[in-house]
Amino acid sequence: MARKPDGPLRKGWTTGACATAATRAAWQAMLSGQFPNPVTITLPRGETPSFALVKAETGDGWARASVIKDAGDDPDVTHGAEIIATLRRAEPGNGITFHAGDGVGRITKPGLPLPVGEPAINPKPREMMIAQITDLAEQFNVRPDVEIEVSIPGGQEIATKTWNPRLGIVGGLSVLGTTGIVIPFSCSAWIHSIHRGIDVARATGRTHVAGATGKTSEAAIRTFYDLPDEAILDMGDFVGGMLKYLRKNPVEHISICGGFAKLVKLAQGHLDLHSSRSQVDFDRLAQTVKHCGGDAMLQDATRTANTAKLVLEQCQAANVDIADTIARQACESARATLDGATVVEIVITDRDGKIIARHSPGDFDTFRPPAKN
Protein backbone atom coordinates (compact mmCIF):
# COMPACT_ATOMS: atom_id res chain seq x y z
CA MET A 1 0.00 0.00 0.00
CA ALA A 2 1.33 3.44 -0.92
CA ARG A 3 2.26 5.75 1.92
CA LYS A 4 -0.23 8.55 2.57
CA PRO A 5 1.45 11.90 1.84
CA ASP A 6 1.46 14.72 4.34
CA GLY A 7 -0.86 17.71 4.01
CA PRO A 8 -4.30 18.16 2.43
CA LEU A 9 -5.24 15.58 -0.18
CA ARG A 10 -7.11 16.19 -3.42
CA LYS A 11 -10.28 14.17 -4.03
CA GLY A 12 -10.90 12.41 -7.33
CA TRP A 13 -13.68 10.88 -9.41
CA THR A 14 -14.70 7.23 -9.67
CA THR A 15 -14.85 5.29 -12.92
CA GLY A 16 -18.63 5.42 -12.50
CA ALA A 17 -18.63 9.24 -12.41
CA CYS A 18 -16.33 9.39 -15.45
CA ALA A 19 -18.51 6.96 -17.40
CA THR A 20 -21.56 9.02 -16.46
CA ALA A 21 -19.96 12.24 -17.72
CA ALA A 22 -18.96 10.59 -21.00
CA THR A 23 -22.47 9.14 -21.34
CA ARG A 24 -24.15 12.52 -20.85
CA ALA A 25 -21.84 14.18 -23.35
CA ALA A 26 -22.45 11.52 -26.03
CA TRP A 27 -26.23 11.50 -25.47
CA GLN A 28 -26.42 15.31 -25.62
CA ALA A 29 -24.48 15.23 -28.89
CA MET A 30 -26.92 12.67 -30.31
CA LEU A 31 -29.88 14.86 -29.35
CA SER A 32 -28.53 18.33 -30.12
CA GLY A 33 -25.65 17.78 -32.54
CA GLN A 34 -23.17 19.38 -30.13
CA PHE A 35 -20.93 18.03 -27.40
CA PRO A 36 -20.86 19.93 -24.11
CA ASN A 37 -17.21 20.50 -23.25
CA PRO A 38 -16.69 20.48 -20.37
CA VAL A 39 -19.64 18.31 -19.44
CA THR A 40 -21.24 18.72 -16.01
CA ILE A 41 -23.11 15.99 -14.12
CA THR A 42 -24.89 15.76 -10.79
CA LEU A 43 -23.61 13.12 -8.37
CA PRO A 44 -25.82 11.20 -5.89
CA ARG A 45 -25.00 13.60 -3.04
CA GLY A 46 -25.58 16.74 -5.09
CA GLU A 47 -22.04 17.62 -6.20
CA THR A 48 -21.77 18.95 -9.77
CA PRO A 49 -18.28 18.26 -11.16
CA SER A 50 -17.27 19.14 -14.71
CA PHE A 51 -15.14 16.95 -16.98
CA ALA A 52 -13.10 17.87 -20.05
CA LEU A 53 -13.70 15.62 -23.06
CA VAL A 54 -10.91 13.73 -24.80
CA LYS A 55 -12.98 12.07 -27.51
CA ALA A 56 -16.03 13.67 -29.14
CA GLU A 57 -17.17 11.66 -32.16
CA THR A 58 -20.51 11.14 -33.90
CA GLY A 59 -21.88 9.01 -36.70
CA ASP A 60 -25.18 7.73 -38.05
CA GLY A 61 -27.20 6.82 -34.95
CA TRP A 62 -24.26 6.85 -32.54
CA ALA A 63 -21.98 9.15 -30.56
CA ARG A 64 -18.84 8.60 -28.50
CA ALA A 65 -17.24 10.65 -25.75
CA SER A 66 -14.46 10.02 -23.28
CA VAL A 67 -12.79 11.55 -20.24
CA ILE A 68 -9.55 10.80 -18.39
CA LYS A 69 -10.05 9.50 -14.89
CA ASP A 70 -8.54 11.71 -12.21
CA ALA A 71 -8.39 9.84 -8.89
CA GLY A 72 -6.95 12.87 -7.10
CA ASP A 73 -4.22 11.93 -4.65
CA ASP A 74 -5.48 8.38 -4.19
CA PRO A 75 -3.13 5.57 -5.37
CA ASP A 76 -5.85 4.19 -7.66
CA VAL A 77 -4.73 1.74 -10.37
CA THR A 78 -7.23 3.30 -12.79
CA HIS A 79 -5.89 6.85 -12.34
CA GLY A 80 -5.19 8.27 -15.80
CA ALA A 81 -7.30 5.68 -17.63
CA GLU A 82 -9.52 6.81 -20.49
CA ILE A 83 -13.19 6.07 -19.82
CA ILE A 84 -15.18 5.89 -23.06
CA ALA A 85 -18.95 5.82 -23.55
CA THR A 86 -20.32 4.87 -26.97
CA LEU A 87 -24.07 5.37 -27.33
CA ARG A 88 -26.24 3.88 -30.05
CA ARG A 89 -29.94 4.40 -30.69
CA ALA A 90 -32.04 1.38 -29.75
CA GLU A 91 -35.37 0.16 -31.08
CA PRO A 92 -38.35 2.04 -29.60
CA GLY A 93 -39.41 0.52 -26.30
CA ASN A 94 -36.06 -1.18 -25.62
CA GLY A 95 -35.15 1.37 -22.96
CA ILE A 96 -31.58 1.78 -21.67
CA THR A 97 -29.23 -1.19 -21.90
CA PHE A 98 -25.60 -1.55 -20.83
CA HIS A 99 -22.79 -3.26 -22.71
CA ALA A 100 -19.12 -4.04 -21.98
CA GLY A 101 -16.67 -2.64 -24.47
CA ASP A 102 -12.92 -3.19 -24.62
CA GLY A 103 -11.39 -3.32 -21.15
CA VAL A 104 -14.63 -3.70 -19.19
CA GLY A 105 -15.26 -7.08 -17.63
CA ARG A 106 -18.21 -9.45 -17.49
CA ILE A 107 -19.68 -11.27 -14.50
CA THR A 108 -19.05 -15.05 -14.53
CA LYS A 109 -19.74 -16.02 -10.88
CA PRO A 110 -22.79 -15.56 -8.67
CA GLY A 111 -22.70 -13.45 -5.53
CA LEU A 112 -21.96 -10.07 -7.10
CA PRO A 113 -24.65 -7.35 -7.28
CA LEU A 114 -25.25 -8.17 -10.96
CA PRO A 115 -26.37 -11.41 -12.64
CA VAL A 116 -23.92 -13.74 -14.35
CA GLY A 117 -23.33 -12.63 -17.93
CA GLU A 118 -23.86 -8.92 -17.27
CA PRO A 119 -21.19 -6.30 -18.00
CA ALA A 120 -19.35 -5.28 -14.83
CA ILE A 121 -20.96 -1.86 -14.61
CA ASN A 122 -22.16 -1.68 -11.02
CA PRO A 123 -25.71 -0.72 -9.99
CA LYS A 124 -24.94 2.78 -8.69
CA PRO A 125 -23.02 3.90 -11.83
CA ARG A 126 -25.91 2.49 -13.88
CA GLU A 127 -28.33 4.60 -11.83
CA MET A 128 -26.18 7.67 -12.41
CA MET A 129 -26.07 7.10 -16.18
CA ILE A 130 -29.79 6.37 -16.36
CA ALA A 131 -30.49 9.64 -14.51
CA GLN A 132 -28.46 11.64 -17.07
CA ILE A 133 -30.09 9.88 -20.03
CA THR A 134 -33.57 10.42 -18.57
CA ASP A 135 -32.91 14.09 -17.77
CA LEU A 136 -31.83 14.91 -21.31
CA ALA A 137 -34.58 12.77 -22.86
CA GLU A 138 -37.15 14.84 -20.99
CA GLN A 139 -35.49 18.10 -22.06
CA PHE A 140 -35.55 17.08 -25.73
CA ASN A 141 -38.91 15.28 -25.51
CA VAL A 142 -37.61 11.93 -26.79
CA ARG A 143 -37.84 8.36 -25.54
CA PRO A 144 -34.74 7.13 -23.65
CA ASP A 145 -34.10 4.15 -25.92
CA VAL A 146 -30.33 3.81 -26.10
CA GLU A 147 -27.48 1.32 -25.81
CA ILE A 148 -24.58 2.40 -23.57
CA GLU A 149 -21.24 0.71 -24.16
CA VAL A 150 -18.45 1.55 -21.71
CA SER A 151 -14.84 0.91 -22.69
CA ILE A 152 -11.54 1.37 -20.85
CA PRO A 153 -8.53 0.89 -23.15
CA GLY A 154 -5.93 -1.24 -21.39
CA GLY A 155 -8.50 -2.26 -18.80
CA GLN A 156 -7.88 -5.98 -19.20
CA GLU A 157 -4.23 -5.52 -18.22
CA ILE A 158 -5.06 -3.12 -15.37
CA ALA A 159 -7.62 -5.63 -14.05
CA THR A 160 -4.84 -8.11 -13.29
CA LYS A 161 -3.80 -5.71 -10.49
CA THR A 162 -7.28 -5.88 -8.95
CA TRP A 163 -9.48 -8.52 -7.34
CA ASN A 164 -11.55 -8.95 -10.51
CA PRO A 165 -10.08 -12.29 -11.65
CA ARG A 166 -10.77 -13.84 -8.21
CA LEU A 167 -14.27 -12.44 -8.14
CA GLY A 168 -15.10 -14.00 -11.49
CA ILE A 169 -15.05 -10.74 -13.45
CA VAL A 170 -13.27 -11.58 -16.69
CA GLY A 171 -12.06 -9.46 -19.57
CA GLY A 172 -11.40 -6.20 -17.79
CA LEU A 173 -12.25 -3.73 -15.07
CA SER A 174 -15.42 -2.98 -13.15
CA VAL A 175 -17.11 0.40 -13.39
CA LEU A 176 -17.44 1.31 -9.72
CA GLY A 177 -18.41 4.09 -7.34
CA THR A 178 -21.34 4.68 -5.02
CA THR A 179 -20.92 8.43 -4.51
CA GLY A 180 -18.88 9.28 -7.61
CA ILE A 181 -16.09 10.67 -5.44
CA VAL A 182 -12.74 9.05 -4.61
CA ILE A 183 -11.64 9.92 -1.08
CA PRO A 184 -7.83 9.67 -1.04
CA PHE A 185 -6.48 6.79 1.03
CA SER A 186 -9.96 5.86 2.29
CA CYS A 187 -9.24 2.38 0.88
CA SER A 188 -12.96 2.04 0.17
CA ALA A 189 -12.28 0.14 -3.08
CA TRP A 190 -10.13 -2.40 -1.19
CA ILE A 191 -12.76 -2.93 1.49
CA HIS A 192 -15.46 -3.12 -1.19
CA SER A 193 -13.45 -5.92 -2.84
CA ILE A 194 -13.21 -7.82 0.45
CA HIS A 195 -16.99 -7.63 0.79
CA ARG A 196 -17.55 -8.80 -2.79
CA GLY A 197 -15.09 -11.66 -2.20
CA ILE A 198 -17.20 -12.81 0.74
CA ASP A 199 -20.36 -12.52 -1.37
CA VAL A 200 -18.85 -14.67 -4.12
CA ALA A 201 -17.61 -17.26 -1.62
CA ARG A 202 -21.09 -17.52 -0.08
CA ALA A 203 -22.82 -17.70 -3.44
CA THR A 204 -20.48 -20.45 -4.69
CA GLY A 205 -21.06 -22.55 -1.58
CA ARG A 206 -17.73 -22.00 0.15
CA THR A 207 -17.92 -22.84 3.85
CA HIS A 208 -14.28 -21.96 4.57
CA VAL A 209 -12.53 -18.76 3.49
CA ALA A 210 -9.17 -17.27 4.41
CA GLY A 211 -8.10 -13.68 4.87
CA ALA A 212 -4.39 -12.93 4.51
CA THR A 213 -2.37 -9.84 5.35
CA GLY A 214 0.03 -10.24 2.41
CA LYS A 215 1.38 -12.46 -0.35
CA THR A 216 3.57 -14.62 1.90
CA SER A 217 0.79 -15.44 4.35
CA GLU A 218 -1.66 -15.91 1.48
CA ALA A 219 0.60 -18.49 -0.15
CA ALA A 220 1.00 -20.28 3.18
CA ILE A 221 -2.70 -20.59 3.95
CA ARG A 222 -3.60 -21.41 0.35
CA THR A 223 -1.09 -24.27 0.33
CA PHE A 224 -1.98 -25.51 3.82
CA TYR A 225 -5.66 -25.96 2.94
CA ASP A 226 -5.40 -26.28 -0.86
CA LEU A 227 -7.82 -23.37 -1.23
CA PRO A 228 -9.14 -22.11 -4.59
CA ASP A 229 -9.15 -18.44 -5.60
CA GLU A 230 -12.74 -17.79 -4.52
CA ALA A 231 -11.91 -18.86 -0.96
CA ILE A 232 -9.03 -16.37 -0.60
CA LEU A 233 -9.76 -12.85 0.69
CA ASP A 234 -7.04 -10.25 0.09
CA MET A 235 -7.66 -8.83 3.54
CA GLY A 236 -4.49 -6.77 3.79
CA ASP A 237 -4.62 -4.58 6.87
CA PHE A 238 -8.43 -4.41 6.93
CA VAL A 239 -9.25 -7.25 9.29
CA GLY A 240 -12.01 -5.14 10.84
CA GLY A 241 -13.69 -4.48 7.50
CA MET A 242 -13.65 -8.21 6.80
CA LEU A 243 -14.86 -9.33 10.23
CA LYS A 244 -17.66 -6.78 10.47
CA TYR A 245 -19.00 -7.83 7.07
CA LEU A 246 -18.76 -11.50 8.05
CA ARG A 247 -20.75 -10.74 11.19
CA LYS A 248 -23.70 -9.78 8.98
CA ASN A 249 -22.90 -12.15 6.10
CA PRO A 250 -21.35 -15.21 7.75
CA VAL A 251 -19.59 -18.21 6.33
CA GLU A 252 -19.01 -21.24 8.52
CA HIS A 253 -15.24 -20.82 9.01
CA ILE A 254 -12.63 -18.11 8.47
CA SER A 255 -8.86 -18.49 8.72
CA ILE A 256 -6.95 -15.26 9.38
CA CYS A 257 -3.33 -15.62 8.37
CA GLY A 258 -0.51 -13.14 8.80
CA GLY A 259 2.87 -12.38 10.20
CA PHE A 260 3.59 -12.10 13.90
CA ALA A 261 3.71 -8.29 14.08
CA LYS A 262 0.38 -7.78 12.32
CA LEU A 263 -1.37 -10.34 14.47
CA VAL A 264 0.09 -8.89 17.67
CA LYS A 265 -1.91 -5.77 16.78
CA LEU A 266 -5.07 -7.84 16.35
CA ALA A 267 -4.33 -9.58 19.66
CA GLN A 268 -4.14 -6.12 21.26
CA GLY A 269 -7.55 -5.17 19.86
CA HIS A 270 -6.65 -3.26 16.70
CA LEU A 271 -8.85 -3.89 13.65
CA ASP A 272 -6.81 -1.81 11.21
CA LEU A 273 -3.32 -3.28 11.04
CA HIS A 274 -1.60 -0.61 8.93
CA SER A 275 1.51 0.90 10.51
CA SER A 276 0.18 4.45 10.15
CA ARG A 277 -3.04 3.65 12.00
CA SER A 278 -2.05 1.21 14.74
CA GLN A 279 1.08 0.44 16.73
CA VAL A 280 2.28 -2.48 18.85
CA ASP A 281 2.09 -1.74 22.57
CA PHE A 282 5.43 -3.13 23.74
CA ASP A 283 4.63 -2.70 27.44
CA ARG A 284 1.56 -4.83 26.93
CA LEU A 285 3.56 -7.30 24.85
CA ALA A 286 6.03 -7.57 27.74
CA GLN A 287 3.15 -8.64 29.98
CA THR A 288 2.34 -11.34 27.45
CA VAL A 289 5.98 -12.47 27.53
CA LYS A 290 5.72 -12.69 31.31
CA HIS A 291 2.52 -14.73 31.03
CA CYS A 292 4.37 -17.12 28.69
CA GLY A 293 7.14 -17.66 31.22
CA GLY A 294 9.65 -15.09 30.04
CA ASP A 295 12.04 -13.87 32.72
CA ALA A 296 12.57 -10.26 33.80
CA MET A 297 15.44 -9.77 31.36
CA LEU A 298 13.30 -10.92 28.43
CA GLN A 299 10.44 -8.70 29.59
CA ASP A 300 12.75 -5.69 29.74
CA ALA A 301 14.10 -6.51 26.28
CA THR A 302 10.54 -6.62 24.99
CA ARG A 303 9.69 -3.19 26.42
CA THR A 304 12.68 -1.62 24.67
CA ALA A 305 12.40 -3.58 21.40
CA ASN A 306 11.89 -1.57 18.24
CA THR A 307 10.02 -4.31 16.34
CA ALA A 308 7.70 -7.18 17.16
CA LYS A 309 9.87 -9.36 14.92
CA LEU A 310 12.76 -8.82 17.32
CA VAL A 311 10.56 -9.83 20.26
CA LEU A 312 9.59 -13.03 18.49
CA GLU A 313 13.24 -13.86 17.75
CA GLN A 314 14.27 -13.19 21.35
CA CYS A 315 11.44 -15.36 22.67
CA GLN A 316 12.31 -18.18 20.28
CA ALA A 317 15.95 -18.01 21.39
CA ALA A 318 14.78 -18.26 25.03
CA ASN A 319 12.36 -21.14 24.23
CA VAL A 320 9.38 -18.95 25.20
CA ASP A 321 6.44 -19.87 22.97
CA ILE A 322 4.82 -16.48 22.55
CA ALA A 323 3.39 -17.14 19.06
CA ASP A 324 0.76 -19.58 20.36
CA THR A 325 -0.40 -17.09 22.99
CA ILE A 326 -0.62 -14.26 20.45
CA ALA A 327 -2.64 -16.56 18.15
CA ARG A 328 -5.04 -17.29 21.00
CA GLN A 329 -5.38 -13.61 21.94
CA ALA A 330 -5.90 -12.60 18.30
CA CYS A 331 -8.54 -15.28 17.99
CA GLU A 332 -10.37 -13.88 21.01
CA SER A 333 -10.25 -10.39 19.54
CA ALA A 334 -11.61 -11.61 16.19
CA ARG A 335 -14.34 -13.66 17.89
CA ALA A 336 -15.48 -10.61 19.83
CA THR A 337 -15.96 -8.71 16.55
CA LEU A 338 -17.65 -11.64 14.80
CA ASP A 339 -20.04 -12.09 17.72
CA GLY A 340 -20.47 -15.81 17.06
CA ALA A 341 -21.38 -15.51 13.38
CA THR A 342 -18.36 -17.45 12.08
CA VAL A 343 -15.82 -19.86 13.58
CA VAL A 344 -12.39 -18.22 13.35
CA GLU A 345 -8.88 -19.58 13.19
CA ILE A 346 -5.67 -17.57 13.56
CA VAL A 347 -2.59 -18.70 11.65
CA ILE A 348 0.76 -16.97 12.23
CA THR A 349 3.58 -17.30 9.72
CA ASP A 350 7.21 -16.26 9.76
CA ARG A 351 8.78 -14.18 7.00
CA ASP A 352 9.50 -17.30 4.95
CA GLY A 353 5.87 -18.37 5.05
CA LYS A 354 6.35 -21.16 7.59
CA ILE A 355 3.38 -21.59 9.92
CA ILE A 356 4.58 -21.08 13.50
CA ALA A 357 1.23 -21.01 15.36
CA ARG A 358 -2.45 -21.87 14.87
CA HIS A 359 -5.37 -21.38 17.20
CA SER A 360 -9.12 -21.87 16.92
CA PRO A 361 -11.95 -22.92 19.20
CA GLY A 362 -13.25 -25.09 16.32
CA ASP A 363 -11.85 -28.14 14.58
CA PHE A 364 -10.13 -26.70 11.52
CA ASP A 365 -8.11 -29.82 10.80
CA THR A 366 -11.21 -31.30 9.18
CA PHE A 367 -10.62 -28.89 6.27
CA ARG A 368 -7.03 -29.86 5.70
CA PRO A 369 -6.59 -32.42 2.90
CA PRO A 370 -4.62 -35.57 3.71
CA ALA A 371 -0.90 -35.45 3.05
CA LYS A 372 0.09 -36.63 -0.43
CA ASN A 373 2.43 -39.62 -0.66
Side-chain angles (χ1 to χ4, degrees), residues 199-218:
D199 292 341
V200 169
R202 284 164 50 89
T204 54
R206 292 287 159 194
T207 59
H208 178 208
V209 297
T213 59
K215 291 183 178 179
T216 300
S217 55
E218 178 187 303

Side-chain angles (χ1 to χ4, degrees), residues 49-217:
S50 296
F51 299 80
L53 299 184
V54 177
K55 282 188 172 67
E57 305 167 349
T58 59
D60 185 13
W62 65 271
R64 178 178 297 124
S66 73
V67 303
I68 298 298
K69 177 173 176 177
D70 179 1
D73 288 324
D74 193 68
D76 188 321
V77 295
T78 57
H79 176 73
E82 184 180 14
I83 315 298
I84 306 171
T86 303
L87 273 62
R88 301 178 181 88
R89 289 197 177 276
E91 292 296 323
N94 278 9
I96 302 167
T97 57
F98 293 91
H99 305 268
D102 176 49
V104 172
R106 286 190 172 276
I107 309 296
T108 65
K109 291 181 181 179
L112 295 169
L114 295 164
V116 171
E118 279 289 305
I121 303 170
N122 267 27
K124 183 56 72 172
R126 291 186 186 216
E127 290 177 19
M128 292 164 60
M129 286 182 260
I130 289 169
Q132 300 300 315
I133 293 290
T134 303
D135 175 56
L136 287 170
E138 290 175 352
Q139 289 184 35
F140 286 87
N141 195 28
V142 299
R143 293 178 61 92
D145 296 312
V146 63
E147 299 175 357
I148 303 173
E149 178 186 281
V150 181
S151 305
I152 306 175
Q156 187 164 2
E157 180 180 354
I158 298 171
T160 62
K161 303 174 184 177
T162 73
W163 267 44
N164 278 16
R166 288 187 181 180
L167 295 175
I169 300 170
V170 300
L173 292 161
S174 303
V175 178
L176 301 172
T178 55
T179 66
I181 298 175
V182 175
I183 305 298
F185 288 85
S186 67
C187 301
S188 58
W190 193 324
I191 295 171
H192 171 89
S193 294
I194 295 172
H195 295 175
R196 298 296 77 79
I198 293 169
D199 292 341
V200 169
R202 284 164 50 89
T204 54
R206 292 287 159 194
T207 59
H208 178 208
V209 297
T213 59
K215 291 183 178 179
T216 300
S217 55

Side-chain angles (χ1 to χ4, degrees), residues 39 97 135 223 238 268 352:
V39 57
T97 57
D135 175 56
T223 300
F238 304 108
Q268 294 182 346
D352 295 324

